Amino acid sequence: MNVKDLVSKMTLQEKASLLSGCDFWHTTAVERLGLSEFMMCDGPNGLRKQEGETDHLGLNSSISTVCYPTASAVASSFDVDLAWKLGQTLGRECQRENVAMLLGPGLNMKRSPVCGRNFEYYSEDPYLAGKIAAAYVNGIQSEGVAACPKHFAANNQEYRRMSGNSTVDERTLHEIYLTAFEIMVKESHPKSIMCAYNQLNGTYLSENKYMLTDVLRDKWGFDGFVVTDWGAGKGPKEGVEAGLDLVMPGPRDDHEKAIIKAVESGELAEEKVDRAVTNILNTLNWTLENKKDYGPSTDETRALDYAFAKELAQESAVLLKNENKALPLKDGNKILFVGEFAKAPRYQGSGSSHINSAYVSNAVDSARAAGKEISFALGYDSRNKDLKNSYILLEEAVEAAREADIIVIFAGLPGSYESEGFDRKDINLPPEQDKLIDELSHQGKKTVVVMHNGAPVAMPWIESVDAVLDMQLAGDAVGDATVSLLWGDVVPSGKLAESYPFKLTDNPSFLNFPGDGGNPVYAEGIYIGYRYYEKKRRPGLFPFGHGLSYTEFEYSDIKVSKDSITDKDNVDVSVEIWNIGRYLAKEVVQLYVSPGSSKVSRPYKELKGFTKVELSPGEKKVVTFTLDSRAFAYYETKIHDFYVPSGDYSIMIGSSVNDIRQTAEVHVESTSELPITFDQFTAIEDILDTKKGQAILGPVLQQMNDGMGESEDDDALGEGGAEMFEKMILEMPIINLASFGILSTDEVNGILEKLNG
Ligand code: BGC
C-alpha cells in the first residue's frame, strides 16, 4: 500500500470516517479504495479477543486461551528476555487469531499501593518499567503485530479515572511519570500508544498537545498513531489539533461529522486530518506487510504456551522470608495445605485485561500430580462467613495442623479487592485470612504462607510465620509453578518491583490520594516508592528489589572502568557474583546510583541497571553494566531537559535497594552550564557556581576576605565565626553586599553588568 497516494485519493468524509472505530475493536474500512479494517484486542497478560458481545470491562466472554502472569509479576522477574518472549508469544497468538494490535502493556507508575490497577502495571521505578515494557513491545512487534502501550500518562489511580485531574510539576512528570514511556518509545518504537482518560494539569490527555505532540513525537521521535483509551475522546477538533489520531470505540458518526464540519469551516487544517489518517494507515500497512500464517491454535501450541506461562510464573515469584529452613519442603515431612487459594487460586486481575483461561492449575492437584503427599483443610469459606461455619473451619484446620510437620497457608487478595475501575480501601488481607494465618502460626509448627496478590499487602503476622512465598498474580500455571518452587525444583529468583510498606499511611502519596474529587496533587513529587523510603531512611515491610533464594550469593570485586568521566562519556561497572550455596539459582544484580552532595533535591538511590544471572553451586561470574550520562542526570526545569551536575557519585551494587553489597565512586564533570540570568537577588553561591561567576566575583570576595583577615575585629567573630560568616555571605543575594555597606550599589551593578555581558 502506498499510504501517501491512498490518502491523496480519499474524500474528506472517508478520511474523517477513519478517525474513529467502526465498532468496539476495529478501525473503519474504506471499501472503495480496497482499504480493510484492522482488529485490536486487550491483553496484556493474554489475548482477550471478544467475538460476541463486546465491552471494555472484561464482563463478556472472550476466546479461551492461556493467561500469563500479570505485569506486576513480569516486572518482578527482572528479566527482559522473558518479557520479550512474552511479547513474542502473544504476537504469535495475535497472528493466529487475526488480531493486528494488542492493547498493552500498561506501564504507569505505582504511585500508591492501593491503585486498583497496580497488577496491570510494572513498577514504582521508571527505569525498570521502561526496560521491561520496551522488551515486551519489541517481542510483540517482532511478530508483525502492533503494540499499543498505555495509559499515557499520569493515570495512577482508578477513582474518577475518566475525569480526574492529575496535578504534576514538570520535573516530577518527566523524571518519574514519563521516563518509563520515554525508554519504551526510544527502545522499541511502538506502532501505537493509548492516551489516558484523565486530565494532566488541567487538560485531558486526549487533547494534550504538550504530551501528544511536543513530548511524544517531537522530543522522543514517536512515529506510530495515538488512540484514545476506550471512551476517552473529547473534542474531535481539539483532539486532532493536539496530535490524537484515532478515537475508540466506534461507531462515532458524531465524531466524523464534527471533523468534516471543522475542516469545511476552516477551523481545522485538512493537513492535520491527513496526518492522523497517515499515522493510522502506516501502522495498518505495516501489519499487513507482516501478516503471518501460523494456522490456528492447537493443543500443541497451547501446551507450549502453558509451559512458558509456568516458566514466567516461576521466575516472577518472590521469596519474601525464609527462616528455620522452612523452604524448600522436604519429602517425608507431613505437609498440610490450608486455604481456598490452594484449590482455587487467584491468578489474574479483573477488568479489561481479564483472560478466559482454558485451564488453571491449583497447588493441591499439582502437588498430588507430582507425587507429593499432602493433606488439605479449607480454613475459611469466603462465601459463607457465618460465625459458626467460620469457627468450625478454623478448628478443623487447627486440628489438621496437629498432625502436620509443616503448614502451608494459601492466602491473598480476592478478585473483588483488586480490579480496574476502583481502588482498594486499604492494604489488608480479608480479616478471616489474617486470623487463619495468625492462629495456625501459633501451633508450634513450621508455617509457610503462599501469597496471591497484584499489589502490596500488610502482613501483621509476619514475625510468627517462618516463610512467605509471594506468587503475585501468576497466571494459569500458578499451581504447577508454586509446587515446583515450594519443593525447590526451581529456586525462587523474583524481586519486588514495588515496595511493601508496613501500613498504607506510610506511603508518600497517602495525603494526596485519590485527591479531592479525584483530582490528585502529586505533592510528594519525585519521591514515590523507594525514592521516598530510602531518602527518609524509613524501612518498610519489604524493600524494593527484595527477594531471597534457597542459595546464597557473595558479591565482590567491584570495578569501574574510569574514576572520572565527563557527562558525555560512558563508564563500565563490573562486579563478581559467586553462588556459595548448594542450588543452581539465579540472582538479580541491581545497580543504583547515589549522588553525593547536590544543590537540587535528589533521591538517595536510583536504579540504573539490573541483570539476572544464573549460577551453579560454586560458580562465579562477572557481571558488567554500562552507564551513560542519563544514569547521573535529573530533570532540570531551567533547560526543560535532563542535566548532569558535576559531582561525586556512588555506584552501589546489591541484592535489593537496601542490601547494597559493593560500592565504588565516580566523579562526573559536566561539560555544560545551566543558563542563568544574574540580578540583584541572585544568591552569591549561585553566582560562584558558574565559571564566569568565579572569574568575576571570586576575586572581589577574596579581596573582602583578605581585608577581614587583617581586621582587628576578626577575633570578635569567635571560634568558627569566620566559617559562619562565609556561609551567611554565600547564601545572601548579591545586592546585600551593598545593603551591608561592603560594596556600593554601583559596584554591585557593575559586577552584574559584567556577569550578564
Ligand atoms: C481500559 C484499557 C483497555 C480498554 C479496552 C479501557 O477501559 O482502560 O486499558 O485497553 O478499556 O478494553
Side-chain angles (χ1 to χ4, degrees):
M1 178 197 308
N2 181 335
V3 171
K4 203 167 167 203
D5 191 42
L6 198 67
V7 176
S8 72
K9 289 187 185 134
M10 290 169 100
T11 64
L12 176 59
Q13 189 272 326
E14 284 167 342
K15 290 190 245 184
S17 76
L18 265 179
L19 302 193
S20 53
C22 75
D23 63 17
F24 221 84
W25 302 118
H26 295 87
T27 54
T28 304
V30 181
E31 276 167 28
R32 182 181 74 88
L33 297 169
L35 195 64
S36 54
E37 56 189 31
F38 79 88
M39 185 174 202
M40 344 170 194
C41 285
D42 276 315
N45 50 293
L47 177 60
R48 185 171 77 101
K49 183 183 178 194
Q50 290 188 311
E51 286 172 325
E53 284 290 296
T54 55
D55 72 276
H56 66 120
L57 295 171
L59 303 174
N60 294 308
S61 68
S62 50
I63 58 164
S64 145
T65 183
V66 175
C67 172
Y68 298 90
T70 59
S72 50
V74 175
S76 303
S77 77
F78 275 70
D79 190 328
V80 285
D81 296 335
L82 280 183
W84 188 91
K85 195 171 165 199
L86 174 60
Q88 187 208 30
T89 308
L90 287 167
R92 285 200 181 148
E93 180 153 23
C94 287
Q95 287 285 11
R96 286 189 208 111
E97 294 289 341
N98 282 318
V99 172
M101 184 161 103
L102 193 72
L103 303 174
L107 59 154
N108 297 82
M109 288 294 98
K110 302 187 189 202
R111 179 173 172 247
S112 165
V114 293
C115 168
R117 247 176 145 172
N118 272 9
F119 69 87
E120 241 188 285
Y121 298 142
Y122 289 123
S123 180
E124 65 189 23
D125 180 81
Y127 179 83
L128 175 61
K131 289 287 178 184
I132 298 280
Y136 177 97
V137 169
N138 277 323
I140 297 180
Q141 297 195 162
S142 74
E143 286 294 337
V145 172
C148 181
K150 58 193 186 184
H151 310 89
F152 189 64
N155 177 223
N156 310 94
Q157 65 190 48
E158 289 301 280
Y159 182 65
R160 302 224 179 156
R161 64 174 171 151
M162 296 187 179
S163 59
N165 177 30
S166 304
T167 299
V168 193
D169 67 83
E170 184 185 342
R171 177 176 173 197
T172 301
L173 181 67
H174 284 268
E175 214 167 296
I176 303 296
Y177 295 95
L178 294 188
T179 289
F181 283 99
E182 181 186 355
I183 294 173
M184 179 276 302
V185 166
K186 289 181 175 168
E187 294 186 7
S188 65
H189 311 284
K191 297 286 168 197
S192 178
I193 201 162
M194 186 190 291
C195 69
Y197 285 118
N198 53 295
Q199 305 169 57
L200 169 65
N201 296 328
T203 308
Y204 278 102
L205 264 315
S206 59
E207 299 182 343
N208 200 314
K209 176 173 172 294
Y210 176 69
M211 293 286 282
L212 303 188
T213 300
D214 303 352
V215 172
L216 185 61
R217 287 190 195 277
D218 299 348
K219 213 165 184 171
W220 299 346
F222 171 75
D223 61 359
F225 73 90
V226 179
V227 57
T228 60
D229 198 341
W230 266 228
K234 299 282 177 304
K237 168 182 148 304
E238 290 77 1
V240 174
E241 291 270 17
L244 175 67
D245 302 310
L246 176 65
V247 167
M248 285 300 286
R252 286 289 301 270
D253 291 350
D254 54 337
H255 188 271
E256 185 181 317
K257 284 190 187 127
I259 296 282
I260 296 173
K261 199 169 155 210
V263 173
E264 283 176 349
S265 66
E267 281 174 73
L268 177 65
E270 190 159 354
E271 298 80 72
K272 294 205 168 139
V273 174
D274 290 354
R275 175 222 72 213
V277 173
T278 305
N279 288 338
I280 298 168
L281 292 186
N282 279 341
T283 294
L284 170 63
N285 192 24
W286 178 84
T287 61
L288 290 174
E289 279 172 357
N290 288 288
K291 181 77 194 106
K292 295 184 171 52
D293 185 12
Y294 287 141
S297 303
T298 61
D299 287 350
E300 207 181 318
T301 62
R302 288 267 190 266
L304 284 173
D305 290 351
Y306 180 86
F308 175 59
K310 179 176 167 191
E311 183 189 351
L312 198 45
Q314 289 165 331
E315 296 288 320
S316 309
V318 185
L319 183 61
L320 293 176
K321 175 173 179 178
N322 191 19
E323 283 174 9
N324 307 317
K325 299 206 168 107
L327 290 178
L329 300 176
K330 283 154 209 77
D331 291 333
N333 278 334
K334 285 193 228 135
I335 294 162
L336 170 68
F337 278 11
V338 187
E340 279 182 350
F341 286 178
K343 282 198 168 165
R346 171 102 193 297
Y347 64 99
Q348 66 169 324
S350 309
S352 61
S353 66
H354 195 270
I355 302 302
N356 179 10
S357 297
Y359 165 75
V360 184
S361 59
N362 68 74
V364 168
D365 291 346
S366 300
R368 287 180 178 151
K372 311 291 180 194
E373 259 187 51
I374 52 142
S375 50
F376 173 75
L378 192 55
Y380 69 91
D381 182 351
S382 60
R383 280 156 308 174
N384 178 2
K385 294 187 187 173
D386 166 85
L387 271 183
K388 190 166 164 223
N389 188 46
S390 304
Y391 178 79
I392 294 171
L393 290 175
L394 187 58
E395 278 307 294
E396 276 173 10
V398 170
E399 191 61 33
R402 290 206 183 99
E403 303 298 312
D405 299 316
I406 299 194
I407 312 162
V408 184
I409 307 160
F410 290 75
L413 295 170
S416 59
Y417 276 49
E418 277 186 295
S419 173
E420 175 177 342
F422 59 88
D423 300 313
R424 280 189 294 164
K425 287 195 306 293
D426 53 40
I427 59 170
N428 299 337
L429 284 177
E432 60 275 14
Q433 293 194 21
D434 276 338
K435 185 158 190 243
L436 176 72
I437 299 170
D438 188 47
E439 195 76 32
L440 292 180
S441 63
H442 287 99
Q443 301 302 316
K445 303 291 167 80
K446 279 188 187 159
T447 319
V448 176
V449 179
V450 176
M451 295 293 303
H452 306 73
N453 52 313
V457 290
M459 301 182 188
W461 32 258
I462 191 69
E463 292 305 327
S464 52
V465 302
D466 297 284
V468 181
L469 176 66
D470 193 343
M471 290 305 296
Q472 319 241 0
L473 295 182
D476 284 355
V478 53
D480 290 343
T482 305
V483 166
S484 66
L485 291 160
L486 284 176
W487 269 271
D489 302 332
V490 175
V491 174
S493 61
K495 301 275 184 173
L496 290 182
E498 182 178 3
S499 311
Y500 276 34
F502 287 116
K503 316 187 282 304
L504 177 58
T505 49
D506 293 343
N507 180 266
S509 73
F510 180 73
L511 294 177
N512 293 287
F513 186 97
D516 295 342
N519 301 312
V521 177
Y522 289 31
E524 69 286 352
I526 55 172
Y527 294 104
I528 72 163
Y530 73 84
R531 284 170 170 73
Y532 170 82
Y533 300 116
E534 283 289 308
K535 186 89 176 181
K536 292 269 284 186
R537 312 293 198 272
R538 175 187 273 247
L541 177 58
F542 295 109
F544 176 86
H546 170 75
L548 305 172
S549 172
Y550 296 152
T551 192
E552 262 184 72
F553 298 101
E554 227 174 66
Y555 287 59
S556 61
D557 214 17
I558 189 167
K559 286 196 184 95
V560 285
S561 57
K562 295 168 213 149
D563 299 334
S564 184
I565 55 168
T566 74
D567 58 0
K568 295 204 156 71
D569 303 326
N570 288 351
V571 59
D572 290 339
V573 185
S574 65
V575 71
E576 208 169 81
I577 314 292
W578 186 14
N579 180 351
I580 56 168
R582 290 185 298 116
Y583 291 85
L584 167 75
K586 291 180 185 165
E587 169 72 324
V588 175
V589 184
Q590 301 159 46
L591 184 152
Y592 297 87
V593 172
S594 172
S597 66
S598 167
K599 289 235 157 181
V600 291
S601 175
R602 298 190 68 176
Y604 176 32
K605 295 169 195 162
E606 290 187 279
L607 185 75
K608 298 295 173 183
F610 62 89
T611 186
K612 200 164 189 175
V613 52
E614 185 173 53
L615 296 165
S616 304
E619 193 182 1
K620 268 186 193 176
K621 272 186 191 161
V622 174
V623 167
T624 304
F625 300 90
T626 300
L627 300 179
D628 61 16
S629 70
R630 188 65 180 263
F632 304 97
Y634 72 95
Y635 185 89
E636 172 54 69
T637 50
K638 287 196 190 97
I639 53 170
H640 308 293
D641 209 344
F642 283 84
Y643 180 73
V644 181
S646 297
D648 295 327
Y649 293 80
S650 300
I651 314 287
M652 302 173 164
I653 294 195
S655 184
S656 86
V657 73
N658 75 7
D659 182 7
I660 299 300
R661 309 283 186 88
Q662 294 272 293
T663 304
E665 307 298 323
V666 175
H667 178 79
V668 185
E669 199 54 42
S670 194
T671 52
S672 63
E673 280 195 352
L674 292 174
I676 173 168
T677 309
F678 304 95
D679 62 28
Q680 294 189 339
F681 300 98
T682 309
I684 291 175
E685 62 184 350
D686 288 351
I687 298 175
L688 291 177
D689 262 355
T690 65
K691 291 207 173 81
K692 214 171 179 185
Q694 275 168 24
I696 295 167
L697 187 60
V700 179
L701 295 177
Q702 189 57 49
Q703 222 175 1
M704 233 170 73
N705 213 19
D706 297 347
M708 272 183 43
E710 287 157 18
S711 145
E712 286 172 10
D713 282 353
D714 195 28
D715 284 349
L717 292 172
E719 205 192 318
E723 217 175 286
M724 257 168 61
F725 189 69
E726 190 184 321
K727 267 197 202 155
M728 277 161 56
I729 292 272
L730 287 178
E731 289 162 21
M732 266 174 13
I734 186 169
I735 190 61
N736 280 48
L737 292 178
S739 325
F740 294 129
I742 300 169
L743 297 178
S744 69
T745 308
D746 283 350
E747 281 172 320
V748 170
N749 286 339
I751 293 172
L752 285 170
E753 233 167 76
K754 278 197 209 153
L755 286 169
N756 287 320

